[in-house]
Amino acid sequence: ILNVEQSPQSLHVQEGDSTNFTCSFPSSNFYALHWYRWETAKSPEALFVMTLNGDEKKKGRISATLNTKEGYSYLYIKGSQPEDSATYLCASDNYGGSQGNLIFGKGTKLSVKP
Amino acid sequence: DVKVTQSSRYLVKRTGEKVFLECVQDMDHENMFWYRQDPGLGLRLIYFSYDVKMKEKGDIPEGYSVSREKKERFSLILESASTNQTSMYLCASSYDASLLGTDTQYFGPGTRLTVL
């Protein structure tokens, strides 16, 4: 059974703090790693898709890195703002091909206090 | 923008009722998915479909069935709703990624189903 683990489960930070969380995924038959942001009462929204070992992606204050050999990815948020409060999901694609199945982690719930 | 819509945001049903959850996407995506999300358990795949009239079981298909008669529409059916099916249900769609190797899933807003 393929499993994706995220840590921590939840995180409370002050506005302006930088933070990071981890996603561990199966490295066998790996195709890609997806990060999503899921705000309360909204749809999960795609942040990044990463495929290559050493990949680094950035969107504003949020960035992510990928290590496919050891099977982990980090998501970093620089200078957290209250609007960053959300659950951050990672999902591993270990199937590839046309079916598009992803294995989702349970998420890291981030709360940013003003 | 990709749009995935679900028929209801909130739904309350009684035990034993037949329940239909509808999902429609407007981007001509081949793949469609139904998940349920429960506290502490994350997103769990119920069923998915990679083409019209095709369906595959996910991790937790028991108690559910699906229908995909048209490419844009994927329905989740609870034949006889039970209280343990109270959950948030999310629909998603994606392109056929066989040439790309992977593709982003686009999610609907979710249906919060309560079975009494």
Side-chain angles (χ1 to χ4, degrees), chain A residues 9 31-32 34 36 38 41-46 48-49 51 89 93 95-102 104-107, chain B residues 9 31 33 35 37 40-43 45 48 50 56 88 90 94-98 101-109:
Chain A
Q9 194 174 334
Y31 283 85
H34 298 245
Y36 289 84
W38 191 3
K42 294 187 178 179
S43 309
E45 174 193 324
F48 305 115
V49 181
T51 56
L89 297 172
D93 182 350
Y95 301 100
S98 63
Q99 295 183 6
N101 286 23
L102 299 177
F104 281 86
K106 294 178 184 178
Chain B
R9 290 301 300 269
N31 303 325
F33 308 84
Y35 296 91
Q37 197 262 346
L41 294 178
L43 283 175
L45 182 64
F48 66 98
Y50 53 90
E56 294 285 342
M88 167 71 88
L90 282 163
S94 70
Y95 285 113
D96 176 344
S98 51
T102 193
D103 200 39
T104 297
Q105 290 187 13
Y106 296 87
F107 285 85

